[in-house]
Amino acid sequence: MGIINLALRCPKSFHGLTTDPQPDWGWDDIISELNVLEQKLSDSSGGRPLSTRMEFPAILNPVDGHRSHKAFVMRVSDDEMEDTESSDEDSHNQSSMTGRRFACGELDLSDTDGSEDELDLETTGNRLMDKTGLEEGILIELEREHQLRVKEEIRNRLYALEADMKNENERSVAVRGRVEKYIEEKRETDRRLDKQYQRKIAEALESHLSAVQRDHQQISLIEERRIRSDAEEAKRKETALLEEKARQERAKAEAEAKLKAAKVAEEMQKAALDAERRAKEAAEKVANEKSKTVAAEEVQRDANIKSLSGVRGGDGHSKELGSDAPDKVRSAGINIKAAETALRLEEERLGKYKEVAEMNNRLRLGSNKNIQSYERQIARRVKQISGTQENFREKASDLVKIVNDPLCPQSISIAMFAKQVVSLCEVSIGATAFACARIIVIVTSQVPVAMDIVLAEFHKACIYTVPKHIRYSESAFKTKEAYYKAIGYQEKEGKIESTTSYLQRVEAYMTLYAALVQTEINGFRNLHGLKEGWAWLARFLNTLPVEPSTAVALLAFLRVAGFMLFRRYKSQFRKILNIVSREFLASLKNLRDPQANQVIEQIECYIESNQYLQEPQGWQLQTSLQSKAY
């Protein structure tokens, strides 16, 4: 509820005195005070009506009982209080209570233009106040004190309200400051987030541009490589054309040389015929003279035949070697255990190997081609062979292309291929033997002469692939080292390798040889297939002695080729195994050689557990490498 300002109907200042209009009173307080005052006046007048105009009588002095002409105390207005600067609240309240006193008994507070009723009320009031006496003065004084208390209470309430409003304003200012601070922090956070977001966008854009630039560089590199490869291909084709033209010219020159040689040979043949004819004529002339010496010549021939048959019958070594044994071995008197057919085949294969080697030497001396690069390509692809179908197809295709490459003499590529394939056994062959055997079959089916070169490499590296065995004798070998070298031991850093290392290599060679024997590929012919494997097994058991080295070779062959031999020959293969178990193992046990104990147990386990019924490890090529799957 708002504050109502009341103004007295009198001048605000009279003779230097200021009236108090009481601006801080509330409407309800004024009404209640007026009602109380009217009730008191009615009681004091004895029920007589009051005049509308009332005069304030002089207040009696309580000391001497005389009427005092001093007016009642009036409080200074709030406007004047606001102008005064006071240091404390007590002095302010005291100053407000001690105002100027003035007499209102004879002061007309009404306006000059007031009605007659107001004048009558003032006259009646004055008369009443004159009659009241001491009681009315006390009553008025009490009323005045009550009014002062009410005013003071109202004033205190106003001060409290002002303090509350001031505190509320301060709190609102503090809250507003905190809100502004929060807003500023929020803005700062937003600016920081915006900077981070812009930085991320810049980084992403930079990485994208870098990737695009890298892609462009890769594309340009690929394009450069393609252009370079095209140029190299064109250059290679041009070189190939030039070499082909040179080869044709060489072939033409060779044909002309052969034609000339044929003519020369024909002339020489004619000359030989003429010489033979002349010799016949001369022979007819001396026929009579020779008839006398015919009997002596026949006697001499019979004596020579008898002496030759005596030497063969008395020398056991010649019987073991057979009529087709090499002259060098026969002249050296080395004791060799082998079948005659096996030795003859070995001699033929070594002869072809020797011819190819001599031809390659002549080609290397008379050719300017980079033959070593082809040899390195063959060696690298052979070493990369693994037991997977993808690798097998890739390496087989590459090797066939290199062998049939017209830029490289085929004899050189064949010899290098055979040497590299067989040399794999010096490291470790394992399950890759079947993949190597498949590649050998594919290459040799297209170049048949390569099979003889590969088998010759086998025979040079391991005598048991023939099969044959050389016995030691002091008359044939000067030292044990010479004998070890003859049967296949290798010399490293001036020392002969150990027997264990030698037997491991024998096992590796026989594993690869057996894998070659049992390999069958649709669309390709194996020139040394199961038929040759069966013949090898028969020659081995018929001619070779029982020793730890021969036992190792037999076990390696059976483990790899036994599965396919049993599928082809069935009961015949079982009979062979019975012979091995009954005769070969019995003889091996009688040797009582500690080195043979392990191989005896392995052969017995192979036969008794029927391992030949199971596919050997690596027989089926893997679809992919396990490392690629991981």
Side-chain angles (χ1 to χ4, degrees), residues 184-198:
E184 186 63 26
E185 292 177 354
K186 187 68 176 177
R187 289 176 180 173
E188 185 66 24
T189 304
D190 293 340
R191 285 195 295 270
R192 193 161 52 250
L193 292 176
D194 290 341
K195 288 182 180 179
Q196 293 179 359
Y197 181 69
Q198 291 175 0

Side-chain angles (χ1 to χ4, degrees), residues 541 554 558 573-589 600 603-608:
L541 295 175
L554 177 62
L558 291 177
F573 182 72
R574 289 183 183 273
K575 292 179 180 179
I576 291 291
L577 293 181
N578 291 333
I579 294 173
V580 172
S581 178
R582 186 175 61 251
E583 298 180 4
F584 189 88
L585 286 179
S587 301
L588 189 61
K589 291 177 181 178
I600 290 172
I603 294 175
E604 288 179 346
C605 180
Y606 177 84
I607 297 174
E608 293 174 358

Side-chain angles (χ1 to χ4, degrees), residues 352-479:
K352 292 180 181 179
Y353 181 87
K354 186 177 180 181
E355 293 177 0
V356 170
E358 293 176 354
M359 185 184 303
N360 292 338
N361 291 332
R362 290 195 300 270
L363 290 174
R364 284 190 176 91
L365 293 175
S367 177
N368 295 326
K369 299 177 182 178
N370 190 9
I371 297 175
Q372 293 181 354
S373 63
Y374 291 95
E375 293 179 349
R376 286 194 296 269
Q377 292 178 19
I378 293 173
R380 183 171 62 253
R381 283 166 174 76
V382 169
K383 291 178 181 179
Q384 292 174 354
I385 295 174
S386 63
T388 61
Q389 294 180 2
E390 181 180 358
N391 178 272
F392 157 71
R393 296 192 189 98
E394 180 184 357
K395 302 308 174 188
S397 176
D398 293 344
L399 290 171
V400 169
K401 288 180 181 178
I402 295 173
V403 171
N404 292 327
D405 192 345
L407 299 180
C408 178
Q410 197 173 58
S411 60
I412 292 178
S413 60
I414 290 173
M416 190 63 186
F417 169 74
K419 181 178 180 181
Q420 291 297 325
V421 168
V422 176
S423 65
L424 288 176
C425 301
E426 295 181 0
V427 183
S428 177
I429 194 67
T432 59
F434 295 96
C436 292
R438 287 171 177 260
I439 292 176
I440 293 173
V441 170
I442 291 175
V443 173
T444 55
S445 64
Q446 300 187 21
V447 186
V449 71
M451 180 60 77
D452 291 330
I453 307 302
V454 171
L455 292 175
E457 285 286 352
F458 271 116
H459 299 337
K460 289 178 62 180
C462 180
I463 60 176
Y464 298 112
T465 58
V466 177
K468 71 178 180 181
H469 181 75
I470 302 175
R471 286 190 179 276
Y472 174 73
S473 63
E474 294 181 357
S475 59
F477 301 99
K478 295 181 181 180
T479 60

Side-chain angles (χ1 to χ4, degrees), residues 514-525:
L516 172 62
V517 166
Q518 60 88 50
T519 298
E520 293 181 353
I521 304 176
N522 294 331
F524 298 94
R525 180 189 173 192

Side-chain angles (χ1 to χ4, degrees), residues 197-320:
Y197 181 69
Q198 291 175 0
R199 189 183 302 111
K200 290 181 179 179
I201 291 175
E203 291 176 356
L205 181 60
E206 184 178 0
S207 62
H208 175 70
L209 294 176
S210 300
V212 171
Q213 184 178 4
R214 189 163 53 253
D215 293 339
H216 284 305
Q217 291 178 355
Q218 291 179 356
I219 292 172
S220 62
L221 288 175
I222 293 172
E223 188 67 21
E224 290 177 1
R225 290 175 183 173
R226 187 182 62 79
I227 294 172
R228 194 182 300 113
S229 63
D230 292 342
E232 291 177 355
E233 184 67 22
K235 185 177 180 180
R236 188 162 50 250
K237 288 182 179 180
E238 183 179 358
T239 306
L241 290 175
L242 294 175
E243 291 180 353
E244 182 65 20
K245 187 181 295 184
R247 187 181 63 80
Q248 292 177 358
E249 292 177 355
R250 238 183 354 259
K252 185 177 180 181
E254 290 177 357
E256 292 177 354
K258 288 181 180 180
L259 183 59
K260 292 180 180 178
K263 291 180 178 179
V264 172
E266 185 177 359
E267 293 176 356
M268 291 178 65
Q269 187 176 5
K270 290 180 179 179
L273 291 175
D274 294 339
E276 185 179 359
R277 182 172 52 79
R278 287 194 297 270
K280 286 181 179 180
E281 292 177 354
E284 289 177 357
K285 292 179 180 180
V286 294
N288 295 327
E289 297 178 0
K290 287 186 177 180
S291 60
K292 297 180 181 179
T293 59
V294 169
E297 290 178 358
E298 289 179 356
V299 172
Q300 185 66 29
R301 191 184 307 110
D302 293 338
N304 292 334
I305 292 173
K306 288 180 181 180
S307 62
L308 181 59
S309 62
V311 172
R312 289 183 178 178
D315 191 357
H317 302 323
S318 299
K319 286 185 178 180
E320 290 176 356

Side-chain angles (χ1 to χ4, degrees), residues 50-110:
L50 297 176
S51 175
T52 58
R53 186 176 184 83
M54 181 175 62
E55 293 180 0
F56 295 96
I59 300 176
L60 295 177
N61 191 351
V63 177
D64 54 5
H66 295 286
R67 185 180 300 273
S68 175
H69 294 285
K70 294 181 179 180
F72 58 87
V73 178
M74 297 294 290
R75 190 178 73 81
V76 182
S77 65
D78 291 336
D79 296 333
E80 293 179 1
M81 288 298 298
E82 290 175 357
D83 295 335
T84 61
E85 295 179 359
S86 148
S87 61
D88 53 359
E89 187 176 357
D90 293 335
S91 63
H92 174 75
N93 293 334
Q94 185 176 2
S95 65
S96 64
M97 292 176 63
T98 59
R100 299 280 301 274
R101 295 181 181 269
F102 59 93
C104 296
E106 295 179 358
L107 179 62
D108 188 4
L109 299 177
S110 63

